Amino acid sequence: NGLQKDIHGKAIADADAFFSEFVSPFEMTFRGFMDAAASLQKQIDERQDAEEALVQSERYFKSLIENALDIVTILDAEGTVMYMSPSGERVLGYSHTELAGRNLFEFLHPDDVDTVLELFSVGRDNPFSSARAEFRFKHKNGEWLIMESISKRVMDSPFVDELIVLNSRDITDRRYLEE
């Protein structure tokens, strides 16, 4: 019986030694893998949450732009239309695709071009200022609308070196009422 206890005790000691020398590194590696996998899953979940927040934010701002009464137009430094909000079509008659790539000054009344160009240049050359102008813009149906615009230069665009953002509204009815 004593021999069996010794053999049994030695077997347990040998098993412990085997586990600590051979199996334990594998278990530690597996635990490390599981910890790394849990950490990676946490990072994936955080990224998915951030992406969902970005999608919600984009939907919110898209809804604001698409339903605004004012026209938001993005121009390059030369006055070429890069973007026009959907309200532009409702007010001006032109779709975004009809104006995209065209110079906005083509649509201004000839008597207003110099004044608007001067204000546009001030806004373009002074990044921390905005410029305001009233001018006549030719509607797609040929009528002249009186527009009021505020321009602001945006310098940190990923698309081009600089952009001009115009916020415009049709003030034709208001101007006629004032007169």
Side-chain angles (χ1 to χ4, degrees):
N1 237 341
L3 183 61
Q4 283 182 341
K5 279 187 177 182
D6 285 343
I7 292 174
H8 183 66
K10 181 153 175 39
I12 290 175
D14 288 345
D16 284 344
F18 175 79
F19 180 77
S20 62
E21 290 179 27
F22 296 103
V23 177
S24 182
F26 294 112
E27 182 182 353
M28 295 305 289
T29 301
F30 180 72
R31 286 182 187 167
F33 171 77
M34 293 304 291
D35 290 345
S39 175
L40 184 58
Q41 185 62 50
K42 181 179 176 189
Q43 290 175 11
I44 289 170
D45 292 345
E46 289 171 355
R47 182 177 178 110
Q48 287 174 338
D49 290 346
E51 288 174 356
E52 180 60 30
L54 177 62
V55 166
Q56 291 299 329
S57 177
E58 288 173 348
R59 285 182 188 150
Y60 174 76
F61 284 105
K62 182 179 179 187
S63 177
L64 284 175
I65 292 294
E66 289 179 350
N67 295 297
L69 297 176
D70 286 356
I71 303 166
V72 177
T73 309
I74 299 176
L75 308 171
D76 70 8
E78 306 305 315
T80 303
V81 176
M82 311 232 356
Y83 170 82
M84 181 182 67
S85 63
S87 56
E89 185 169 1
R90 290 190 298 270
V91 174
L92 306 173
Y94 301 98
S95 70
H96 166 71
T97 54
E98 291 174 296
L99 291 180
R102 298 195 51 195
N103 192 289
L104 192 69
F105 292 99
E106 296 175 34
F107 300 91
L108 299 184
H109 191 282
D111 294 342
D112 297 340
V113 170
D114 289 340
T115 303
V116 174
L117 189 56
E118 184 179 320
L119 289 170
F120 182 80
S121 296
V122 168
R124 184 185 63 203
D125 298 338
N126 298 301
F128 300 107
S129 69
S130 59
R132 183 187 163 282
E134 286 185 18
F135 54 90
R136 289 166 285 182
F137 191 94
K138 191 171 193 173
H139 189 280
K140 187 174 182 177
N141 67 12
E143 293 179 24
W144 290 103
L145 301 176
I146 301 172
M147 303 297 293
E148 176 182 56
S149 292
I150 297 174
S151 67
K152 179 79 173 145
R153 180 176 168 191
V154 179
M155 294 177 35
D156 59 353
S157 166
F159 306 109
V160 294
D161 291 337
E162 60 184 63
L163 295 175
I164 311 310
V165 177
L166 287 180
N167 291 295
S168 307
R169 67 175 49 128
D170 178 4
I171 61 167
T172 307
D173 292 339
R174 184 178 87 194
R175 186 62 65 225
Y176 288 143
L177 283 173
E178 289 172 357
E179 292 174 0

